[in-house]
Amino acid sequence: GLAAALSVIVPLAFGGEKGLSKGAVGGLLALPMLGMALGSVPGGFLADRFGALRVRVAGAILFGLGVIALVEAEAYGLGAMFAAAGLAGIGAAPLFPAALAIGTRDRGATGVYGAIQAAGQGGYALGNLALAIGAGLAALAGVEGVPPSRTLLVAAIAYVLVHLTVAIVAPT
């Protein structure tokens, strides 16, 4: 869900609302993906070493904090924004390898891979749907002019809180 919000809101918030160039917006979208690409293998090793659930929760929290930092870093300039986007990518790197490790722990892999893919795509769809529902509810409540960056901030905070809850209640 948060990756969907990131990919939708960054162009709206920083391209439209804040007036960043298309190149800067593209870089802000690409850096988390680059961090994921470069960090997925080390993230898998960390999941093997420290436990997939621990690493997934830690990565998710770091990803969420990176997105929060991205929204807030705008006041400090483009360099701070790029650093925050990179932090989000580093946090996101172990998410998929850890999910595979969790999902295949005591099961056959093929069905689990399909379920993980479905959950990922479903989460992406739900993230976009949540943005639309939130905008609709705000309009019904007469709230207008909420900047897209604030919407992303709320989504990232909720994401971090959900994963902190998982860290507290889930057995490792």
Side-chain angles (χ1 to χ4, degrees), residues 41-55 94 97-98 100-102:
V41 171
F45 289 135
L46 289 172
D48 286 341
R49 173 79 169 103
F50 297 107
L53 183 60
R54 277 191 191 109
V55 170
L100 291 175
I102 292 166

Side-chain angles (χ1 to χ4, degrees), residues 14 18 20 28 65-87 149-150 153:
F14 300 117
K18 307 291 185 187
L20 291 181
L28 291 174
L65 291 174
V67 174
I68 292 168
L70 173 61
V71 173
E72 296 302 315
E74 189 267 332
Y76 300 99
L78 195 55
M81 294 173 76
F82 280 126
L87 177 66
S149 59
R150 296 294 105 187
L153 182 64

Side-chain angles (χ1 to χ4, degrees), residues 47-150:
D48 286 341
R49 173 79 169 103
F50 297 107
L53 183 60
R54 277 191 191 109
V55 170
R56 180 165 173 79
V57 168
I61 291 169
L62 189 59
F63 173 57
L65 291 174
V67 174
I68 292 168
L70 173 61
V71 173
E72 296 302 315
E74 189 267 332
Y76 300 99
L78 195 55
M81 294 173 76
F82 280 126
L87 177 66
I90 291 167
L95 297 180
F96 190 68
L100 291 175
I102 292 166
T104 59
R105 195 172 304 158
D106 296 317
R107 298 168 198 91
T110 306
V112 172
Y113 293 155
I116 290 170
Q117 176 69 14
Q121 297 305 321
Y124 201 87
L126 287 175
N128 284 314
L129 184 60
L131 294 174
I133 290 170
L137 290 174
L140 286 174
V143 177
E144 294 183 27
V146 176
S149 59
R150 296 294 105 187

Side-chain angles (χ1 to χ4, degrees), residues 33-42 93:
M33 298 299 119
L34 181 61
M36 287 175 63
L38 296 175
S40 288
V41 171

